[in-house]
Amino acid sequence: MSDTVIKRVTATRPVSITAVEAVAECRGISPLELETPLVDVLDADALDDLYDGSHRRAGDDGLFVTIFAFCGCEVCVYDDGTVVATQIRHDADIRSSRESKAALRR
């Protein structure tokens, strides 16, 4: 289990599968153990189509990213095929973290 997992899309693994694998690894479980199927969160086929490369124009160097929450993780999919899954912290954890950082600045 890790707070953040970074994976790369491959020719044999589309974005949707890579995202599911990254979230499962981040949570320390098998992809089959995830409590919610990805298709209940977003259209997995549309996500794959968005990142299949066919929508890019020659000379287009603009960065685009898709961000969504899935099974307790924030998932960021970048146009270069990088998928980052980060565990979402609870509000109390975030407040505690901010308070700790503020105390360090004093």
Side-chain angles (χ1 to χ4, degrees), residues 65-105:
V65 61
T66 303
I67 302 171
F68 57 94
F70 175 56
C71 291
C73 291
E74 177 183 78
V75 180
C76 300
V77 182
Y78 295 90
D79 62 343
D80 68 353
T82 302
V83 177
V84 180
T86 305
Q87 285 194 358
I88 297 173
R89 295 173 168 253
H90 296 286
D91 289 342
D93 292 338
I94 293 170
R95 272 194 305 276
S96 175
S97 175
R98 287 181 185 154
E99 290 167 1
S100 297
K101 288 177 184 176
L104 289 173
R105 292 186 190 135

Side-chain angles (χ1 to χ4, degrees), residues 3-81:
D3 285 344
T4 300
V5 171
I6 301 170
K7 289 193 166 284
R8 300 275 300 162
V9 173
T10 67
T12 59
R13 286 279 195 229
V15 172
S16 59
I17 300 298
T18 305
V20 167
E21 292 172 343
V23 168
E25 185 176 330
C26 192
R27 298 209 29 226
I29 59 177
S30 160
L32 298 175
E33 295 176 278
L34 293 171
E35 59 273 6
T36 305
L38 183 62
V39 296
D40 286 356
V41 175
L42 54 77
D43 183 335
D45 291 334
L47 181 67
D48 291 338
D49 288 347
L50 184 61
Y51 288 91
D52 73 0
S54 66
H55 303 290
R56 303 285 300 209
R57 294 184 302 234
D60 183 9
D61 59 356
L63 173 71
F64 67 93
V65 61
T66 303
I67 302 171
F68 57 94
F70 175 56
C71 291
C73 291
E74 177 183 78
V75 180
C76 300
V77 182
Y78 295 90
D79 62 343
D80 68 353

